[in-house]
Amino acid sequence: MAFRVGMDVPIVFCTILTLLVKGFVADRELEIINKKCDIPKCNQTHDGQPNLVHIKGTGENDTIHYLWSSIGAPAVILARTTLGANLTVNWKDLLDGTKTGSLSFQPPESVLYSSALMFTKLIEYNDTSDDGTIQSKDARMMTELESLTWQKGTINSTDCSAVLLGKLGDNGTISMKLTGFGKGGRLTTLPHLQYTENSTQLDVTMQNVMNMIYTNYTNARFALEMVVVGRDNKSGTVNIKEDTSIDDQYTPGTFSTLNVRLPDSPLGSYVQWKPVSYVKKGRTMENARHVYEYKLETTRENIDMPQTSIVRAFFSPKEIEQIGALNVSFGITKDGFYKKTNYVSWSIAIGYGDPPEEYISLTVYIVISVGLGIPLLIVVFGGTGVCISKHKEKKRKSLQSN
Amino acid sequence: MADDGNHHPQGIPHSINSNFDDDFEKSDENSPLLSSGVPRGASCNDVEYRGPLTGCGAWKLCDPRSAWHRYTFILILTCLLSFGSYYCYDTPSALEEVIKDDMQIDTSTYELLYSLYSWPNVVLCFFGGFLLDRVFGIRIGTLVFGGFVLTGQLIFALGALFDSWICMVAGRFVFGLGGENLAVAQNTYAVTWFKEKELNMVFGLQLSFSRIGSTLNMNVNKPIYDSINNDLLPYQRLGYTLLVGVAMCVFSVICGIVIGILDFRAEKLLNRNKASTGEVIRIRDIKDFPANLWLIFLICVFYYITVFPFITIGVVFFSEKYELTPAAANIVNSLVYFISAGASPIFGFIVDKTGRNIFWVIIGTVITLGCHLTLAFTFITPFAVMSVMGLAYSILACSLWPLVAFIMPEHQLGTSYGFMQSIQNLGLAVVSIIVGVIVDGSGYLILEVFMCAMLCVAIMFSVLLYLIDASRGTGLNFSAKERRLIKEAKKREKEMQTSCD
């Protein structure tokens, strides 16, 4: 890693090149709708519309779809299809235990790639030793997220986002906001994750979720279980990799990026995040807390799939060749536990292709060269000048004395 | 007149440069002849008593001119002078959670405990130093400032004991009136007794004691709090814990009294009073402060802001960048303190032996620059980097602070050191804010680049100091050997003058 800087210099040029090339790659035309449920079951009850948000990013050659739903365990399905593909929903089957096939693209061969991410469990654990992490000795309580009641989602078509709100206990909420993007960039809020025209950002916020009645843990912290699934079986299993950089300019105080990849050919998909969460609404560095990730489980037999979720509706069990389950926990030693703010918020990116890499921006190079270069030059040249003049003076003196 | 070769230095040959006046070195002493060259304001007429002393003074231990006396009483006492204030200064941080919980205040209110100390001290030190020179004199001044520290800590503790937050804040303010000024007084004592001898080492040793004080504070306050009877109300427990700090301050004030008595005795016995010039500092003297003093101030500011503001926000950097546990990150972060506590007297001794203070200053700054560059651009273990930075800091601290004593006449020393402390406080206060803004907005990499740029500025000033010193012949960068030769020449000259009178 020590030689990173040297290697990065050509990367700058590469980045500029990529940016230029990217300029020619067409941005995607975005469209966000909540799929309307037209069967009587949905229309009977007040507020009966289930949440099934469809974000469609139409490019020149293909379309990227994100299906975002709280029917069953909250999940995002990512699909890349040919331009003419249509989403078909069999609402009756979908609402009846998310039967396989109730969610599909027509024609079936239009689907070029698909994968999905589910949030399956909320884990409340009593961190008795206050080390931040879940230890086997820590008491814990799991909440299956599919058992939550979810409110009707709110869609904002200007920034192409949808918020789903799950209720927990008396006034606890888990809010999940999915934002789609038509072109690359970064959001203005921390942690400034990179997004592309092929990715979305998901912000998970857990407020007042402590379960006072059943657990009453004094040192309660929270963890989430995520499950990713993919179709391919030839390109390898789901894997996780941590990239560390010397540069934290986009996410101050965070130097690494975690990537869970679902390899495929030619391109797979990824889930990317920085190990940082925020314990107050205002996301600042002061409110930032570390996020620990745990071992990635890729053996299918060891993973509990939720009973219901749109993933089950979209993928048949034998289609799921790749699977990975991972826990992340929020908080670090001596941060006063979850109860201190009763709030934790975390962001991840889900996208098609290779995860974007962090690079040192041109601004940093300019700051470094100006801030360091000029004083260094002055010192070096000044020093040399002084040495030379001293040397000359000595020579003159010795000539004089001779 | 005797004091300054700085104002009109050009025509003065080294051999009679009065910066290396020596009215205080005793001929019968076999301490190392290390002249640091400090004007003491002596002239042909003002001769210190050199004859044998009677009574207790006949003993080496009691003879104010003897190294034994200096090393035993004076050294220990000067070091302990501000021990109480250093112990108490960081108490809020050692008990941060306790204070916040027991007094029921939030973080921004808690931070008042520090800002009410640091901001007033941006100006207070300057006036404190001036008062020390002009009004109180060092002995009374030390007691006055020590008294402020003691009273402040007492009010602070009583505030906790009676659950009055306002009282606590007021206590911190009163404490601040004395705290930094006491350090100025301590520096002045060190110069009075150790100039031309082991001054660099003494400055180093004082530094270690201050570090020991704060380390002790960081480690014992919480255990003391926890060990106090649980039946008491929480704020009462806090109050009793803070009273331990009061005891430390009482101890320091006692040290102040004893050293005052010893200083007074030395003055009487050795006729030192007559040896002084009788000059007093006036405010307008500041505009005549020589350029190299200002350079020293600037080096001091630009160097210190790259060490301490960085340490205050270092834990996150170490734990996130190097993936250390918070405990390990804390250790790395306090390495500079630990290392400098041990290394300062050693480096002080080396600087005494070699002289060439400006080179040492430059070395210290360059090494620190190397450390910051390493932290910024590599993943080399921070344990090593921060240890080296601790060494570099020690080198700088014990070679930079004594420089003031080389330049300034004695009657301006308090003001000069006070000014230096003031500027340093201003720099630290301003830069702490800037550092927060940079880190929040742009992250640690940019912060490190900022630190490196500041160090480059410090290096530039150090080089400039070297050039000015060389061209004006103020002799800050003399080797120990050159200083000794000059001192011997000076002594011979004085003897000749005395005999001609």
Side-chain angles (χ1 to χ4, degrees), chain A residues 242 248 252-253 285 290 375 390, chain B residues 320 323 439 442 444-445 456 466:
Chain A
E242 182 172 8
D248 64 333
M285 210 186 126
H290 194 85
K390 273 209 132 185
Chain B
E320 290 295 323
E323 299 183 0
V439 165
S442 316
Y444 282 95
L445 179 68
C456 286
Y466 169 74

Side-chain angles (χ1 to χ4, degrees), chain B residues 164-485:
Chain B
S164 157
W165 173 246
I166 294 173
C167 198
M168 285 181 81
V169 172
R172 276 302 271 193
F173 178 75
V174 176
F175 180 79
L177 293 176
E180 300 281 298
N181 286 323
L182 192 60
V184 174
Q186 190 186 21
N187 286 347
T188 316
Y189 259 128
V191 174
T192 315
W193 282 87
F194 295 96
K195 67 184 173 160
E196 308 187 12
K197 299 183 186 80
E198 309 87 6
L199 189 59
N200 296 295
M201 191 198 72
V202 172
F203 269 97
L205 209 60
Q206 286 184 352
L207 189 74
S208 344
F209 266 82
S210 71
R211 294 290 159 251
I212 293 170
S214 29
T215 311
L216 187 70
N217 154 70
M218 283 296 178
N219 291 303
V220 303
N221 266 310
K222 193 75 195 352
I224 292 177
Y225 178 85
D226 291 336
S227 68
I228 289 174
N229 190 349
N230 246 326
D231 301 336
L232 290 170
L233 289 164
Y235 57 80
Q236 290 178 323
R237 292 170 71 191
L238 177 63
Y240 287 120
T241 313
L242 298 177
L243 281 174
V244 177
V246 174
M248 296 285 184
C249 294
V250 171
F251 173 67
S252 277
V253 169
I254 293 171
C255 290
I257 295 172
V258 177
I259 197 172
I261 293 169
L262 288 176
D263 195 61
F264 181 73
R265 172 174 169 270
E267 189 178 291
K268 280 273 165 237
L269 284 178
L270 303 178
N271 225 358
R272 232 200 247 161
N273 219 7
K274 271 191 196 162
S276 83
T277 58
E279 278 184 279
V280 288
I281 187 164
R282 288 149 308 180
I283 286 281
R284 64 171 178 275
D285 285 347
I286 291 161
K287 72 173 172 28
D288 297 327
F289 275 3
N292 39 17
L293 183 70
W294 291 107
L295 278 176
I296 292 172
F297 291 175
L298 288 173
I299 297 167
C300 173
V301 178
F302 280 94
Y303 182 84
Y304 275 75
I305 59 176
T306 65
V307 178
F308 294 101
F310 175 69
I311 289 177
T312 53
I313 55 161
V315 178
V316 173
F317 176 73
F318 295 122
S319 63
E320 290 295 323
K321 179 166 178 178
Y322 302 96
E323 299 183 0
L324 300 174
T325 63
N330 264 317
I331 293 174
V332 172
N333 203 41
S334 49
L335 269 178
V336 168
Y337 290 119
F338 281 123
I339 301 270
S340 65
S344 296
I346 300 167
F347 279 114
F349 180 75
I350 296 172
V351 177
D352 278 327
K353 283 285 179 200
T354 57
R356 302 214 181 275
N357 284 50
I358 299 182
F359 282 170
W360 285 109
V361 168
I362 294 176
I363 289 170
T365 330
V366 170
I367 295 177
T368 312
L369 175 63
C371 292
H372 272 299
L373 285 172
T374 315
L375 289 176
F377 299 115
T378 72
F379 282 89
I380 293 173
T381 170
F383 284 96
V385 181
M386 292 310 277
S387 306
V388 175
M389 194 187 281
L391 295 178
Y393 167 67
S394 311
I395 293 176
L396 182 116
C398 54
S399 56
L400 183 71
W401 289 85
L403 282 180
V404 175
F406 294 4
I407 302 177
M408 300 309 288
E410 193 176 354
H411 70 277
Q412 297 184 347
L413 268 183
T415 314
S416 311
Y417 275 120
F419 213 139
M420 192 161 170
Q421 205 97 321
S422 274
I423 293 182
Q424 190 196 346
N425 285 332
L426 178 67
L428 291 178
V430 172
V431 168
S432 297
I433 295 172
I434 297 177
V435 159
V437 172
I438 294 181
V439 165
D440 283 349
S442 316
Y444 282 95
L445 179 68
I446 302 282
L447 177 74
E448 281 294 357
V449 172
F450 170 77
M451 294 296 180
C452 293
M454 294 298 103
L455 279 166
C456 286
V457 174
I459 294 173
M460 273 158 55
F461 284 135
S462 318
V463 173
L464 204 59
L465 178 66
Y466 169 74
L467 294 179
I468 291 185
D469 175 63
S471 71
R472 294 193 181 175
T474 33
L476 298 183
N477 205 35
F478 280 158
S479 68
K481 193 180 165 196
E482 283 169 308
R483 284 192 182 136
R484 194 166 59 234
L485 290 174

Side-chain angles (χ1 to χ4, degrees), chain A residues 86-108:
Chain A
N86 266 322
L87 176 67
T88 3
V89 187
N90 180 340
W91 281 103
K92 189 172 164 295
D93 283 358
L94 182 64
L95 295 180
D96 182 18
T98 58
K99 280 186 186 143
T100 303
S102 55
L103 207 54
S104 63
F105 286 99
Q106 296 304 332

Side-chain angles (χ1 to χ4, degrees), chain A residues 234-245:
Chain A
K234 292 177 285 293
S235 309
T237 52
V238 179
N239 58 74
I240 184 168
K241 193 168 165 277
E242 182 172 8
D243 284 332
T244 315
S245 153

Side-chain angles (χ1 to χ4, degrees), chain A residues 31-42:
Chain A
E31 195 188 333
I32 182 166
I33 49 159
N34 195 10
K35 275 299 218 187
K36 194 164 162 44
C37 170
D38 47 11
I39 59 165
K41 191 180 174 187
C42 299

